[in-house]
Amino acid sequence: MYPLGRKMRVAKTLTLAATAYYPGPENNWPYSTGSTASGLKAGYGIAAVDPKRIKLKTPLFIEGYGYALAADTGSAIKGDRIDLCYDTYDEAQQFGRKTVKVYLLR
């Protein structure tokens, strides 16, 4: 998804509590539309954030995950939390809960 062949700089570094989700019905029923709060398709490389903390559509680099885009929100994602999207339910379950460094890019 990023960096799309361009150099990016770190604008800010955050330490956040991270969880993972799968956009299918196993994690989101009955709300599993496959779309994010920003209108993009949910999948690997999409992160759910608190838009009061991280602006939607901000490019990110997350240690242990890679490049992502802040493109989704969640009712439980408030403050110093981030939810990382995975392409399968099993991958999301295996991630568990971790503390990660998140680099906001520009």
Side-chain angles (χ1 to χ4, degrees), residues 12-84:
K12 190 174 191 178
T13 302
L14 303 171
T15 301
L16 303 177
T19 51
Y21 74 102
Y22 167 64
E26 292 90 336
N27 274 155
N28 292 302
W29 191 84
Y31 308 104
S32 58
T33 65
S35 293
T36 64
S38 63
L40 298 173
K41 184 177 187 235
Y44 192 89
I46 296 293
V49 299
D50 180 348
K52 292 179 182 174
R53 184 84 163 110
I54 300 173
K55 185 178 174 183
L56 287 178
K57 299 204 176 168
T58 298
L60 309 169
F61 182 81
I62 301 135
E63 286 186 351
Y65 183 78
Y67 289 98
L69 185 66
D72 207 358
T73 60
S75 60
I77 308 304
K78 302 291 181 216
D80 292 338
R81 297 208 42 214
I82 191 166
D83 206 10
L84 307 174

